[in-house]
Amino acid sequence: MTITDTHTHLYSEEFDQDRDEMMQRAIQAGVTRFFIPAIDSSCTHAMYDLEKNYPDNVFLMMGLHPTYVKKNYLEELQHVEEELAKRKFYAIGEIGIDLYWDKTHLKEQQDAFRKQIQLAKNHKLPIVIHCRKAFDEIFEILEEEKSNDLFGIFHCFSGTYEQALLAISYNMKLGIGGVVSFKNGKIDQFLSQIDIKHILLETDSPYLAPVPFRGKRNESSYLVNILDKLVHIYGLSAEDIATATTENSKEIFGI
């Protein structure tokens, strides 16, 4: 049984003391494919080191995270373009809009999101969307940019049933992580109405650990807890869900 973690920050400093052990726990649990989102230029070398150490398991994205969109965002986007020109990546991400803490750079976030969607189209890559308190703003831009060559993932989806259907209408699959196990997460109330062909598994490690680890450091081995929650929701076997979601990840990432 192959389980795919479609969104995990394994290069995070929170794993510096036990990264190899953490990776082995995940692999032993059946989680053997890890897709790694970028944040900004400061994480690039750490991502490359991770890939070098786990070349058969780790697949990298490139992009500028919305909460790291500051006054110098055009310089950061230039870095994204330069890296894309050098080598293979599997997605543009994570990108999007985040208005949870601060709306100061909303216009810059919108511009960065649009520009990175265009990069994805030019490179024929999926996008991986970060959306926090910004569904309307995200959907506005997806409506502007919608086309057959726009596709990807709504990472850490936490919206409503109607928002889920809208995301899917824009050729997006839904990244389901620890939130599905939270009592106040709410997505577990309608997820069974969404065909499994639209669903991907993710941890967003080291963030958003699922129950019973909520509030602690998340890691990719905990993906089995999210898988178990989907077994309960869909009434399918763990192997069926692992197979379906891994096949969905292959459709998106091309590997």
Side-chain angles (χ1 to χ4, degrees), residues 67-243:
T67 61
Y68 288 77
V69 172
K70 307 298 181 186
K71 290 182 179 179
N72 71 332
Y73 80 100
L74 292 176
E75 295 174 21
E76 285 287 337
L77 291 180
Q78 182 64 34
H79 173 77
V80 171
E81 289 195 53
E82 290 171 356
E83 296 306 302
L84 285 167
K86 291 178 184 176
R87 49 154 295 156
K88 170 71 175 175
F89 290 94
Y90 294 91
I92 305 298
E94 60 189 285
I95 66 175
I97 299 175
D98 189 317
L99 302 179
Y100 185 77
W101 296 112
D102 187 5
K103 299 181 180 180
T104 304
H105 295 292
L106 172 58
K107 288 184 178 180
E108 291 86 351
Q109 286 190 39
Q110 291 169 320
D111 189 43
F113 188 34
R114 288 189 181 95
K115 283 181 166 61
Q116 290 183 97
I117 288 174
Q118 290 299 321
L119 279 176
K121 290 180 177 180
N122 292 341
H123 287 269
K124 296 180 170 55
L125 292 173
I127 61 172
V128 174
I129 298 173
H130 172 108
C131 175
R132 201 171 185 200
K133 298 291 184 183
F135 277 103
D136 290 345
E137 290 80 3
I138 290 283
F139 285 135
E140 179 181 356
I141 292 175
L142 290 181
E143 178 64 25
E144 294 171 6
E145 297 289 342
K146 67 179 179 181
S147 61
N148 290 334
D149 56 355
L150 175 62
F151 67 105
I153 302 169
F154 237 96
H155 146 63
C156 193
F157 185 79
S158 58
T160 64
Y161 175 64
E162 291 74 22
Q163 288 167 333
L165 295 181
L166 189 53
I168 291 167
S169 77
Y170 292 117
N171 298 325
M172 299 295 148
K173 295 194 186 297
L174 308 181
I176 303 301
V179 172
V180 75
S181 70
F182 298 171
K183 286 184 178 180
N184 62 348
K186 297 183 180 180
I187 61 172
D188 62 316
Q189 298 172 18
F190 65 79
L191 201 58
S192 64
Q193 300 174 58
I194 304 293
D195 194 302
I196 194 72
K197 70 181 181 181
H198 301 302
I199 301 299
L200 298 166
L201 300 179
E202 63 167 70
T203 58
D204 200 20
S205 305
Y207 316 109
L208 292 173
V211 174
F213 305 105
R214 189 175 184 184
K216 299 179 180 179
R217 185 192 74 171
N218 199 4
E219 60 178 73
S220 286
S221 65
Y222 298 165
L223 198 61
V224 297
N225 298 85
I226 298 165
L227 177 63
D228 288 344
K229 182 67 175 180
L230 265 62
V231 166
H232 176 73
I233 289 172
Y234 281 100
L236 298 171
S237 70
E239 185 167 353
D240 284 345
I241 290 177
T243 298

Side-chain angles (χ1 to χ4, degrees), residues 35-52:
F35 288 86
I36 313 298
I39 296 296
D40 67 359
S41 59
S42 69
C43 72
T44 302
H45 291 301
M47 290 171 58
Y48 291 166
D49 286 343
L50 181 70
E51 179 190 50
K52 182 179 178 181

